[in-house]
Amino acid sequence: MATQANSVPHPTLVKGIHNRWHPEIPPFATVKPGEVFKVECIDWTGAQIGNNDSSDDIRDVDLTKIHNLSGPIAVEGAEPGDCLVVDILDVTPFEKMPWGFTGIFELENGGGLFAREFKSRAAKAIWDFKGVYATSRHIPGVRFAGVSHPGLIGTAPSAELLATWNEREGGLIAEHADAMPPVAYAPNPVGAYVGQDNLDPEVRKRITENGARTVPGREHGGNCDIKNLSRGSRCYFPVFVPGANLSVGDLHFSQGDLAFCGAIEMAGIITFSTSIIKGGVEKFALKQPIFMPSPIDPLYSSKLIFEGISVDYHGDGKQYNMDATVAYKQAALNAIAYLMKIGYTREQAYLLLSAAPIESHVGAVVDSPNACVTLALPTGIFEHDILPKPEGLTKHDFGQCALRSDGIV
């Protein structure tokens, strides 16, 4: 019989928001190993993107403010050198916000996988959630089950590790000072935020001036966008500071193996439980996190697989030596060209491949000069037949995704 005495909800830990990595950001809350708790997360932009039919908000997004992370959350007993075990028990959108977005960002403001090739201009798709499924008025004809997960999760760096990050990334920036999009993002006090009112002003100053940007993944985890870190996953993180100071954000309803220009970004709730393995960094040679994937990913057995090699045949035809990034781009561009034959615009295809549960694998990195990478597109997500036929492909009119108010693409 359900009574108040035996129906105690798991606690929800909220309000601890920050957008920089720094060891001096104090934990917003502390949990005991084994305790189940929930964390509320706003979307990674801090609610800058709206559910509408214009991409002006993508064009004008302020990226100095990202990513908005919930935490830090200290785990009682965790010490440097330990391994923090994090069980992801559930990831759900807010009941009052059953939607998310995928965006193509401007070449000069965010970029993306094909920012230079496409000279990217802002575009957007809004996705509506119905249970586990997502559909979009901006990309008609597709419906798929989401693999909801945190795009960004990690432990706090030590002072020594933070200094290493800033030094090595600063050197890379100096080598490519005029790169567009930038090759890395240096510490920047503009837009920096630590949502704890009682923080000492001098500590806050150090955090905002020296805190590492949250844009890339690093040794502690961070923004790795791994779609398999969904409900049921178990993650093993190295601990660098007392308490580990776990932070999470950038929740995704769905994403493929590689995010081109974002996933289906959402706000929502993630449920955790943690434990500690003493001395785990040494026991497991834990230079970066390791994880066990979810046992309940949606199954799409039929796939159309596109191959790419390390030749830029969509560009200037240049031969590269064993370059898996070039090979992946070619596989993705092959898929985009194919989807355009079906009737999707380049922008719609680009957004779809960022949002859908595509799979990518390295086929070969041994046969010089061509690495081989594949991109697998599930056929079951389409409401129409997309398979090759002797008579060719049937072209449909799917309209266009949300564009800038000036119409520039």
Side-chain angles (χ1 to χ4, degrees):
M1 178 177 179
T3 67
Q4 185 175 1
N6 63 17
S7 300
V8 180
H10 299 306
T12 300
L13 310 179
V14 294
K15 297 182 181 177
I17 303 294
H18 63 100
N19 61 12
R20 298 291 189 270
W21 293 113
H22 197 283
E24 292 187 87
I25 300 176
F28 173 76
T30 300
V31 297
K32 297 179 182 296
E35 180 181 350
V36 176
F37 58 96
K38 297 175 180 288
V39 178
E40 292 187 354
C41 300
I42 58 178
D43 84 82
W44 71 286
T45 70
Q48 295 184 63
I49 310 304
N51 185 346
N52 53 51
D53 299 317
S54 168
S55 66
D56 288 355
D57 47 10
I58 295 284
R59 178 193 63 195
D60 301 332
V61 66
D62 184 352
L63 296 177
T64 67
K65 297 179 178 180
I66 58 99
H67 297 76
N68 287 268
L69 306 182
S70 295
I73 298 160
V75 180
E76 215 171 85
E79 295 293 337
D82 293 345
C83 170
L84 180 68
V85 183
V86 178
D87 287 305
I88 300 174
L89 304 180
D90 205 2
V91 186
T92 60
F94 288 123
E95 285 189 10
K96 294 182 178 180
M97 291 185 64
W99 63 275
F101 71 90
T102 307
I104 297 175
F105 291 84
E106 300 268 326
L107 171 64
E108 298 85 2
N109 190 31
L113 185 66
F114 296 117
R116 289 191 296 273
E117 289 89 341
F118 292 172
K119 296 181 175 60
S120 289
R121 292 295 175 255
K124 182 175 73 177
I126 298 296
W127 300 86
D128 295 307
F129 308 148
K130 295 180 180 178
V132 298
Y133 291 101
T135 59
S136 174
R137 62 185 182 269
H138 296 128
I139 308 178
V142 294
R143 174 178 178 264
F144 50 83
V147 187
S148 299
H149 60 279
L152 202 161
I153 180 171
T155 53
S158 64
E160 294 77 15
L161 184 57
L162 175 63
T164 296
W165 292 349
N166 288 340
E167 180 180 3
R168 74 187 184 200
E169 292 171 24
L172 185 65
I173 293 168
E175 291 174 13
H176 304 275
D178 298 324
M180 184 61 66
V183 295
Y185 294 85
N188 184 358
V190 176
Y193 180 72
V194 181
Q196 299 190 41
D197 294 336
N198 59 351
L199 193 60
D200 180 90
E202 287 301 315
V203 173
R204 188 182 299 275
K205 186 173 184 288
R206 288 196 293 271
I207 293 170
T208 58
E209 290 183 350
N210 300 309
R213 298 296 303 278
T214 60
V215 177
R218 299 182 179 95
E219 292 90 331
H220 68 142
N223 190 28
C224 291
D225 289 331
I226 300 171
K227 72 176 177 64
N228 305 97
L229 296 184
S230 53
R231 57 180 180 158
S233 295
R234 172 169 286 183
C235 313
Y236 301 83
F237 292 99
V239 176
F240 301 101
V241 300
N245 287 0
L246 178 72
S247 294
V248 64
D250 188 23
L251 299 189
H252 298 164
F253 186 83
S254 178
Q255 179 198 294
D257 273 339
L258 285 173
F260 298 173
C261 53
I264 300 183
E265 311 287 349
M266 72 176 188
I269 302 172
I270 185 165
T271 307
F272 288 125
S273 179
T274 64
S275 58
I276 301 165
I277 298 175
K278 303 304 291 184
V281 168
E282 175 62 29
K283 289 177 179 176
F284 310 135
L286 202 60
K287 299 295 186 184
Q288 290 178 260
I290 56 178
F291 68 92
M292 298 174 62
S294 168
I296 50 175
D297 282 354
L299 177 63
Y300 289 100
S301 56
S302 175
K303 301 179 178 70
L304 193 59
I305 298 177
F306 297 88
E307 179 183 318
I309 59 175
S310 43
V311 176
D312 184 14
Y313 41 77
H314 283 276
D316 60 8
K318 181 179 178 180
Q319 174 75 63
Y320 291 82
N321 181 40
M322 304 306 291
D323 193 320
T325 300
V326 171
Y328 181 77
K329 282 188 170 185
Q330 301 311 303
L333 288 166
N334 288 340
I336 289 172
Y338 189 92
L339 290 170
M340 290 175 69
K341 290 287 187 182
I342 297 170
Y344 291 105
T345 66
R346 185 179 70 178
E347 293 75 30
Q348 286 175 318
Y350 193 15
L351 290 163
L352 175 58
L353 293 181
S354 297
I358 64 171
E359 294 182 358
S360 182
H361 298 283
V362 176
V365 286
V366 65
D367 300 316
S368 297
N370 285 330
C372 177
V373 176
T374 61
L375 182 152
L377 181 62
T379 61
I381 72 174
F382 293 91
E383 296 175 352
H384 45 279
D385 188 1
I386 70 164
L387 294 179
K389 292 182 173 58
E391 63 272 22
L393 299 170
T394 301
K395 192 166 187 175
H396 304 265
D397 182 2
F398 296 113
Q400 177 59 293
C401 59
L403 302 178
R404 294 169 23 156
S405 58
D406 58 16
I408 294 178
V409 293

